[in-house]
Amino acid sequence: MCDSSEVQLWREDLDAAITAGFEASGATYGSPRITRDLHEHGWRVSVNTVAARMAELGLVARVRRKPRSLTRSGRRPAAPDLVGRQAVNRIDSELAGTQPPLMP
């Protein structure tokens, strides 16, 4: 059985490894990714253990921001319609009530 001082030393080493991985990621990695990195470095630890240690250390990953659209509506007028299309917001009258053919 492990001595409590051994467990304490193991936790300190684990905390140092978790903190190093977290800071190396720019504070963006959460417990699953940190756990994967620790496994690559030879640690045998579960995701739940890493999550608990991160919570105790106060390490919270930044939420990924949703990518912003490159086009911003309302910034400039729409391009002129050079073809002369008619915008239709209803079902085409020719296709209304018909079914697509069934495949044999």
Side-chain angles (χ1 to χ4, degrees):
M1 193 93 193
C2 290
D3 191 333
S4 64
S5 61
E6 290 177 13
V7 172
Q8 186 65 27
L9 288 174
W10 181 82
R11 280 191 180 147
E12 289 174 4
D13 291 343
L14 178 63
D15 290 349
I18 290 171
T19 304
F22 185 75
E23 289 174 355
S25 74
T28 57
Y29 289 1
S31 58
R33 188 110 177 235
I34 296 286
T35 304
R36 192 172 37 214
D37 290 347
L38 290 174
H39 287 171
E40 290 174 3
H41 288 96
W43 284 87
R44 289 185 54 175
V45 64
S46 73
V47 177
N48 292 338
T49 302
V50 174
R53 299 306 304 157
M54 287 179 72
E56 193 167 314
L57 293 169
L59 303 177
V60 179
R62 281 193 219 133
V63 178
R64 285 186 185 166
R65 293 180 61 184
K66 188 175 179 181
R68 206 173 60 169
S69 175
L70 295 178
T71 55
R72 290 173 269 160
S73 62
R75 289 297 232 155
R76 59 176 108 141
D81 183 18
L82 302 177
V83 180
R85 296 186 189 126
Q86 296 290 324
V88 179
N89 290 332
R90 57 180 172 72
I91 298 176
D92 197 9
S93 61
E94 294 176 15
L95 296 177
T98 63
Q99 279 186 301
L102 298 175
M103 298 298 288

